[in-house]
Amino acid sequence: MSISVHLDRADRAGPTQVTETGRSQVERAPSAPLRVLMATRYGRLGASSRLRLLQYAPRLAEFGIACTARPFLSDGYIRALYEGGSRVKPVLAAYGRAAGLRAAIRNHDLVWIEKELLPFLPAVLERALLGEKNFILDFDDAWFLRYGGGGNRLVRTLLGGKFPALLRRASLTIVANETLRDWAIGAGARNVLLLPTVVDLDHYPIAGEPGGPFTVGWIGTPVTAPYLASIAGPLRTLAAEAPLELLVIGAPGFAIDGVTCRHMPWSEATEAHLIGQCHVGIMPLPDDAWARGKSGYKLVQYMAAGRAPIGSPIGANRAIVQDGVTGFLAGDAAAWCDRLRRLRDDVPLRRAMGVAARERAAEHYALQATAPRLAAAIRAIVTS
C-alpha cells in the first residue's frame, strides 16, 4: 500500500536560499511535477524514514517535486520492536505488499530508497525491480555493517556486497555524515551528497528554561537507551551533589540507581515541548563502528530547542557541536562530570550556549536550509 503525501500551504512556507556549504538557489515549481516514489523502510513511527525522507515532501513540492511514500514495514513492526513483541507477522505482511513495488516504480520518474527496497534479499532482486529507473539511496546509519560486518558467515557471503552493488548503480547516494560519505566514496558511489539529518525548525519554538531541579534530557528509543548506562557514574555523582532529574523520552524501562528518572512517552507532536523541559540534552555513545556512523540527531534536536548539548566526541557529534561554543564534547567519566557540572552551575554560560546552539541549528541543521539543496540535487539527476 502506498501513502500519498498531501500538502498544506502552511507547511510549505520557507526560504529558498541555502545557508550551508554549496549554496545554490532552486527554481520554483515548473508546470509538470517530477514524480518521486519514496521507498521508505518505515512509516512515520520510524525516525529515519520520517526525518530523512517524509518530512521533506511538503517542502519539495514547492520545487515541483511530488512525492508519494511507500513504507516497506508497517508501524506495527516498530511497535513490536520497541515493546519486545513478535515481528514475524508484520515482516511477512511487508513482503506480501512488495509484489506491488514494480508497478509503483514504473509510475514514477525517480525512486528514492531508504537503505534498500527488500531487506535481507540480494541486490539482484532489487536491480530487477528497478530496471533502468534512476534511483537515490539514502543512509543515516552504517547499514553496510549489518550485512558485511556481522558474525554470520552466510549473511556476509550472500549480502555483504549488497549495499556497494546498489550504490554503484545509484544516480545519487545521500548520506548523513562524513563517515558514511567516506564509505560510499570508497565503495564506488558515483555521486554523493552529504545531507545531515535535520529538524523542521517551525516545530521547535524557543521556550524559557524550566524551574525545579537541574534537568538533563535524553530522547531516544528502548533500542538506544543502553547508551545512557555508559554515563551512569557521572549522573550519580551530580545527583549526589545537588538535586538532579534525568528526563528520559521514549524509553520507559530505563533507570539508573541513585538518579531520579522521569519517563515520558515519545510522540512526534510532543517531542519538542518535552525537550524544552530540560536544561541540557545529552548524547553519550560508545566508540565503535556503528556509533561512528550515527547522524547525531539528538544533538540537533537539543540545539533547535535552544538547549546546550553534551555529546561523546564520536562520529558526526564532532561536526555538530562546536565544543565550548554551542555545547560540549565529553569523552571519559571525568569529562562528563565536569561538563555537566559547569552547565548546572554557570547559568549565563548555559543560556549563551543555548542561544548559539539554536543559531547553529537554524543555519546548518534545519529543513528550511537543506530542502532547497536537496531539491537541486534531485533535479540534477533527471536533467543530466
Side-chain angles (χ1 to χ4, degrees):
M1 179 179 72
S2 64
I3 300 173
S4 295
V5 179
H6 299 286
L7 307 177
D8 184 296
R9 290 296 303 179
D11 291 336
R12 291 188 273 135
T16 60
Q17 186 67 37
V18 176
T19 58
E20 296 188 32
T21 303
R23 297 171 183 262
S24 62
Q25 201 158 4
V26 185
E27 293 297 327
R28 287 294 172 178
S31 56
L34 175 67
R35 298 166 302 168
V36 175
L37 178 66
M38 288 179 166
T40 62
R41 192 176 187 88
Y42 315 108
R44 293 197 71 86
L45 279 185
S48 61
S49 300
R50 182 178 68 255
L51 301 170
R52 297 295 299 173
L53 285 81
L54 298 176
Q55 74 166 334
Y56 277 103
R59 300 283 174 174
L60 292 177
E62 285 218 327
F63 304 107
I65 301 172
C67 299
T68 300
R70 186 186 174 97
F72 183 78
L73 294 162
S74 68
D75 286 346
Y77 174 90
I78 293 290
R79 293 189 186 97
L81 174 65
Y82 293 162
E83 295 169 7
S86 172
R87 288 170 272 166
V88 174
K89 285 185 177 180
V91 168
L92 292 177
Y95 282 101
R97 291 189 299 269
L101 263 175
R102 182 60 179 151
I105 290 169
R106 283 199 303 266
N107 291 332
H108 291 81
D109 303 307
L110 180 68
V111 185
W112 184 1
I113 302 168
E114 183 193 356
K115 304 174 181 76
E116 56 190 330
L117 282 173
L118 300 171
F120 283 100
L121 293 179
V124 63
L125 298 178
E126 299 200 11
R127 291 199 297 266
L129 279 175
L130 290 163
E132 298 302 315
K133 186 74 66 174
N134 284 334
F135 67 94
I136 299 168
L137 284 182
D138 195 296
F139 296 96
D140 69 323
D141 279 320
W143 276 83
F144 53 91
L145 295 174
R146 294 292 179 96
Y147 296 152
N152 189 306
R153 184 176 179 180
L154 180 61
V155 170
R156 291 199 309 272
T157 301
L158 295 178
L159 300 173
K162 179 178 184 177
F163 288 129
L166 289 174
L167 67 82
R168 284 194 291 268
R169 290 195 57 186
S171 301
L172 175 66
T173 300
I174 304 176
V175 296
N177 55 60
E178 293 179 356
T179 298
L180 300 180
R181 180 196 60 192
D182 294 345
W183 160 73
I185 293 171
R190 294 183 290 161
N191 185 15
V192 179
L193 172 66
L194 196 165
L195 198 74
T197 305
V198 300
V199 297
D200 184 341
L201 212 60
D202 293 342
H203 296 165
Y204 285 77
I206 299 176
E209 287 191 343
F214 180 61
T215 301
V216 178
W218 179 90
I219 186 168
T221 72
V223 175
T224 55
Y227 293 150
L228 267 173
S230 67
I231 61 164
L235 289 171
R236 285 194 198 98
T237 298
L238 271 289
E241 293 176 357
L244 178 145
E245 180 180 78
L246 176 64
L247 176 56
V248 180
I249 305 167
F254 183 83
I256 297 175
D257 290 340
V259 177
T260 299
C261 294
R262 177 161 61 102
H263 297 90
M264 295 298 294
W266 175 89
S267 79
E268 186 178 354
T270 63
E271 60 178 348
H273 171 72
L274 291 174
I275 291 172
Q277 295 180 18
C278 307
H279 293 94
V280 300
I282 57 173
M283 186 177 177
L285 286 176
D287 189 5
D288 60 30
W290 180 257
R292 288 192 289 272
K294 293 188 71 64
S295 66
Y297 180 67
K298 290 178 180 60
L299 300 176
V300 173
Q301 289 184 283
Y302 306 143
M303 291 164 62
R307 299 297 184 256
I310 307 177
S312 300
I314 306 297
N317 290 9
R318 292 178 177 271
I320 294 170
V321 176
Q322 293 175 305
D323 190 31
V325 180
T326 62
F328 284 124
L329 296 172
D332 58 18
W336 275 97
C337 279
D338 175 74
R339 306 310 187 266
L340 283 165
R341 189 178 289 114
R342 288 175 65 183
L343 291 178
R344 180 195 65 189
D345 297 341
D346 192 335
V347 175
L349 172 66
R350 185 174 73 223
R351 291 177 177 171
M353 282 189 168
V355 171
R358 168 75 178 202
E359 292 174 352
R360 181 163 174 79
E363 184 175 2
H364 296 289
Y365 300 100
L367 182 67
Q368 289 78 357
T370 56
R373 184 180 173 205
L374 174 62
I378 292 174
R379 280 280 170 197
I381 294 171
V382 296
T383 58
S384 59

